[in-house]
């Protein structure tokens, strides 16, 4: 698989390890057993806030039944060193369909058609196919196109007042950070630990359009996508979420 896709975006669509180890589970149970003074009021307040944030984010994404934009992607490591940059186009429709194409530094294609995720690697002439349900299970990227309440219930939603690095869009050329005004940011965190993506932050501009996407992964790398040329109403070609596999390509079907 092409490195540009497999590491920096497919990681958000790859199989994630969401199983808590027996040792961790035991420690959590011991901790709960020892703590007999749980603040029920605070817990209820937190739950109410999460539900309100979830509802607000669902409204924003619900208004985005279609989304198409060009993007600039920057990935930095834990020491804030730039390790990857890419450009391309992202197309999404709700529910559950996504097309990711990069033009620089390499041409790559990733398609989620609602049933399967197709990753086309033209360099090695191979297509890897994953079950979409398994590929994005317990992964916050699923909320971009999911309308399923059971899926949403697996995540904690926090509204960011000033926002993390997603609200400070990095210019990859100079590595300067520019503040963005009139934005709303929501941080999505899986309730179960152990997945590939630790947090996903979505930032919307003053027109309530998705302006940037920020992912912190388990290796402490941060991937930021900044969107331009945003469209939310457009005709969807019949083959947008289809993959035409050349006869000479190897198909690695992992469904």
């Amino acid at each position: 698989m092409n490195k540009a896709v497999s590491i920096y975006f497919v990681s958000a669509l790859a199989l994630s390890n969401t199983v808590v180890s027996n040792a961790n589970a035991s420690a959590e149970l011991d901790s709960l057993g020892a703590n007999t003074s749980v603040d029920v009021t605070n817990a209820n307040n937190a739950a109410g806030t999460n539900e309100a944030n979830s509802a607000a984010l669902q409204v924003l994404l619900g208004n985005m039944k279609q989304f198409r934009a060009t993007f600039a992607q920057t990935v930095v490591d834990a020491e804030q060193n730039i390790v990857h940059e890419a450009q391309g186009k992202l197309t999404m429709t709700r529910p559950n369909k996504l097309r990711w194409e990069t033009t620089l530094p390499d041409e790559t294609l990733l398609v989620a058609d609602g049933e399967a995720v197709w990753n086309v690697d033209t360099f090695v002439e191979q297509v890897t196919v994953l079950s979409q349900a398994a590929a994005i299970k317990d992964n916050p990227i699923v909320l971009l196109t999911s309308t399923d309440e059971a899926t949403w219930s697996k995540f904690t939603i926090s509204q960011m007042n000033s926002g993390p690095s997603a609200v400070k869009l990095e210019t990859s050329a100079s590595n300067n950070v520019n503040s963005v005004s009139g934005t709303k940011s929501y941080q999505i965190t899986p309730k179960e630990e152990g997945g590939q993506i630790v947090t996903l932050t979505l930032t919307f501009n003053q027109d309530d359009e998705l302006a940037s996407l920020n992912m912190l992964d388990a290796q402490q790398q941060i991937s930021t996508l900044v969107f331009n040329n945003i469209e939310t109403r457009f005709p969807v070609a019949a083959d947008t979420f289809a993959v035409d596999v050349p006869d000479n390509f190897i198909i690695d079907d992992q469904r």
Side-chain angles (χ1 to χ4, degrees):
M1 296 172 66
N2 185 284
K3 180 180 178 182
V5 175
S6 63
I7 295 179
Y8 303 119
F9 191 76
V10 179
S11 60
L13 291 167
L15 292 170
S16 58
N17 175 20
T18 58
V19 180
V20 179
S21 69
N22 290 334
N24 287 343
S26 177
E28 290 173 4
L29 289 173
D30 290 344
S31 174
L32 288 173
N35 182 8
T36 57
S37 57
V38 176
D39 192 331
V40 177
T41 301
N42 287 344
N44 288 340
N45 288 341
T49 301
N50 181 66
E51 290 176 2
N53 290 335
S54 178
L57 180 56
Q58 288 189 63
V59 168
L60 286 170
L61 292 175
N63 293 332
M64 198 179 76
K65 290 182 173 62
Q66 294 176 301
F67 181 85
R68 182 167 64 192
T70 57
F71 65 82
Q73 181 185 29
T74 303
V75 182
V76 298
D77 61 19
E79 287 74 39
Q80 298 300 300
N81 299 311
I82 295 177
V83 296
H84 178 75
E85 293 177 292
Q87 296 178 20
K89 182 166 73 173
L90 177 65
T91 305
M92 296 184 294
T93 65
R94 293 165 65 84
N96 304 326
K97 292 186 178 181
L98 177 150
R99 181 184 182 92
W100 162 277
E101 301 170 83
T102 62
T103 54
L104 292 172
D106 304 294
E107 292 186 1
T108 62
L109 175 63
L110 176 84
V111 172
D113 64 11
E115 299 292 333
V117 177
W118 302 73
N119 187 71
V120 182
D121 189 337
T122 56
F123 182 74
V124 298
E125 298 184 344
Q126 178 173 306
V127 178
T128 302
V129 190
L130 303 172
S131 163
Q132 186 168 332
I136 56 179
K137 179 183 178 183
D138 298 328
N139 202 307
I141 200 78
V142 70
L143 299 190
L144 286 176
T145 58
S146 175
T147 57
D148 179 56
E149 286 297 329
T151 300
W152 277 78
S153 69
K154 297 177 182 179
F155 302 92
T156 299
I157 315 293
S158 303
Q159 184 169 10
M160 314 301 292
N161 292 327
S162 57
S165 53
V167 187
K168 298 176 180 179
L169 307 184
E170 293 189 45
T171 56
S172 58
S174 61
N175 201 29
N176 290 329
V177 175
N178 302 315
S179 297
V180 178
S181 59
T183 61
K184 293 187 287 287
S185 294
Y186 292 86
Q187 187 176 82
I188 305 166
T189 306
K191 290 181 179 178
E192 286 198 52
E193 298 180 356
Q196 176 63 25
I197 304 302
V198 178
T199 62
L200 171 69
T201 301
L202 305 178
T203 297
F204 298 82
N205 62 22
Q206 59 271 23
D207 297 319
D208 289 341
E209 299 169 332
L210 183 62
S212 72
L213 178 155
N214 182 281
M215 292 184 290
L216 171 65
D217 69 20
Q219 289 73 46
Q220 298 303 300
Q221 291 188 139
I222 298 174
S223 176
T224 301
L225 278 71
V226 179
F227 298 112
N228 288 291
N229 305 310
I230 299 169
E231 299 175 81
T232 55
R233 295 186 181 181
F234 52 89
V236 180
D239 61 351
T240 300
F241 304 106
V243 177
D244 185 14
V245 181
D247 292 337
N248 61 316
F249 275 39
I250 298 171
I251 298 179
D252 179 16
D253 195 334
Q254 300 181 18
R255 287 174 289 184

